[in-house]
Amino acid sequence: EPSLPIERVEADLAHPRVARAHTYRSDPVVYELPHGHGLLVIGRGLSGRWEAAFEVLPDRRGSGLGRGLVRSALRLVPEGEPVFVQVAPGNVSSMRAVLAAGGFRPIGAEVLYPIDAPQ
């Protein structure tokens, strides 16, 4: 399957997914599909591991773009490095995209508390 035509772009901190990545990952890099149909964010997360997040516009979902973005994450990190993708348990379509991309399997769950969470 050919790779998607993604392009590295400046981080738009007004975008919720990009803003979250900047909160929980170091040096996140944002990639975008043409016409803004989807995005991929890759950075170093918990314990320095490579983490990816992706999003596809609602009217473009179901076309394989999510799966393609996840596969792109695998080629954008150093060869041989594992990539972690967090998916909310109730987000069935994203879970299907990650599993369909190949090379991923559920390994558990984690809870991240916001830095400003009440103690």
Side-chain angles (χ1 to χ4, degrees), residues 35-52:
H35 311 292
H37 291 164
L39 64 83
L40 172 68
V41 184
I42 300 174
R44 293 283 195 164
L46 189 64
S47 298
R49 70 187 185 191
W50 288 105
E51 295 181 352

Side-chain angles (χ1 to χ4, degrees), residues 15 32-39 55-60 65:
H15 189 287
E32 195 171 90
L33 287 167
H35 311 292
H37 291 164
L39 64 83
E55 184 171 307
V56 176
L57 287 180
D59 66 337
R60 298 295 175 175
L65 291 177

Side-chain angles (χ1 to χ4, degrees), residues 13-83:
L13 296 178
H15 189 287
R17 188 156 318 274
V18 175
R20 179 175 169 76
H22 274 78
T23 300
Y24 292 105
R25 297 184 181 105
S26 60
D27 304 318
V29 178
V30 181
Y31 299 88
E32 195 171 90
L33 287 167
H35 311 292
H37 291 164
L39 64 83
L40 172 68
V41 184
I42 300 174
R44 293 283 195 164
L46 189 64
S47 298
R49 70 187 185 191
W50 288 105
E51 295 181 352
F54 67 101
E55 184 171 307
V56 176
L57 287 180
D59 66 337
R60 298 295 175 175
R61 293 178 185 160
S63 63
L65 291 177
R67 178 181 64 237
L69 287 168
V70 173
R71 284 186 180 154
S72 295
L74 292 171
R75 68 178 173 78
L76 290 168
V77 301
E79 188 173 339
E81 290 282 334
V83 180

